[in-house]
Amino acid sequence: MLAYASRTGTRRNLNALRKADWRLLVSARGVLRHEGFPYALDNGAWTAHQRGEPFDVPAFEKAVEWGGDNADWLILPDIVAGGLASLAMSMTWAARLQGVCPMLLAVQDGIEPSDVKAIVGPDIGIAVGGSTGWKETTCRKWGELARNCGAYLHVLRVNTARRIAICKDAGADSFDGSSATRFVKTLPMLDCARRQLSVFGALYAS
């Protein structure tokens, strides 16, 4: 399972992430630099949500122009916890961005697998977003959908060993978080959790 850390410019943290073979998640609302890492593109919706701002279209378009061609994948624009309105927003962008790089559809509170079953697959993967409680309780069913549709599965905002275990239980291909970016001392614990396949059951139950 691949791990992505929110982009940082701190050399100490970057060196630790590189040694652990983590990747970077570059936000459209942040500094557009990948620091020589493999990277993916976040659309910046979470930052807008936290600040009570509308989605920043120019920032997202600039990020795609900057690094879309070489990104592992990008997350289609969405509305945090926005249900079907978020899905509609994402799909208006999907046709525009086709061919840039692999795309992930962020599923949010109020969206059901039946709403996206005909959309996701090898070309459009799934990013499990939404509120924390909703994400944790629905992650397994998104994993089932991803397996059935041949879709890539990523889980957003994963900052504890317990949540990494939830990702593993769902069969996620990758996750991202900011803990290792902000507090490099947490990296060994988090990296151990993603590598120790045999312990995920105990972690999930804790």
Side-chain angles (χ1 to χ4, degrees):
M1 185 166 59
L2 296 175
Y4 290 81
S6 301
R7 185 223 157 256
T8 177
T10 304
R11 184 173 298 178
R12 176 191 177 199
N13 295 28
L14 289 170
N15 287 340
L17 290 167
R18 189 173 281 111
K19 288 179 181 178
D21 197 29
W22 281 45
R23 302 183 178 208
L24 293 186
L25 183 66
V26 180
S27 173
R29 294 293 298 270
V31 178
L32 298 180
R33 289 177 53 180
H34 56 69
E35 313 297 344
F37 281 69
Y39 67 94
L41 279 180
D42 180 35
N43 59 42
W46 177 248
T47 299
H49 172 72
Q50 288 183 305
R51 298 178 180 178
E53 300 171 353
F55 181 75
D56 192 333
V57 172
F60 176 66
E61 292 177 333
K62 180 180 178 181
V64 172
E65 182 178 0
W66 164 79
D69 289 345
N70 295 311
D72 293 339
W73 40 261
L74 64 78
I75 299 177
L76 291 165
D78 64 295
I79 303 168
V80 177
L84 295 179
S86 178
L87 176 58
M89 177 181 181
S90 296
M91 295 316 299
T92 63
W93 283 90
R96 295 175 57 181
L97 297 172
Q98 188 173 10
V100 173
C101 70
M103 298 178 289
L104 303 186
L105 172 68
V107 291
Q108 305 286 350
D109 304 48
I111 297 178
E112 295 292 337
S114 58
D115 296 321
V116 302
K117 185 176 181 180
I119 298 169
V120 300
D123 296 326
I124 299 180
I126 301 168
V128 186
S131 63
T132 298
W134 183 86
K135 176 171 54 183
E136 291 186 358
T137 57
T138 64
C139 201
R140 181 177 288 181
K141 71 180 181 181
W142 295 116
E144 293 174 357
L145 177 64
R147 286 192 297 275
N148 291 337
C149 295
Y152 188 95
L153 181 67
H154 177 80
V155 184
L156 295 155
R157 306 192 318 278
V158 175
N159 291 301
T160 65
R162 185 180 68 84
R163 289 184 190 165
I164 291 174
I166 292 173
C167 296
K168 287 181 178 179
D169 181 63
D173 296 291
S174 60
F175 67 89
D176 74 78
S178 61
S179 180
T181 299
R182 295 178 294 142
F183 311 109
V184 71
K185 66 181 181 181
T186 67
L187 178 59
M189 176 194 66
L190 298 173
D191 196 52
C192 181
R194 80 166 176 120
R195 294 177 184 274
Q196 298 300 315
L197 298 177
S198 62
V199 302
F200 80 88
L203 290 169
Y204 185 82
S206 64

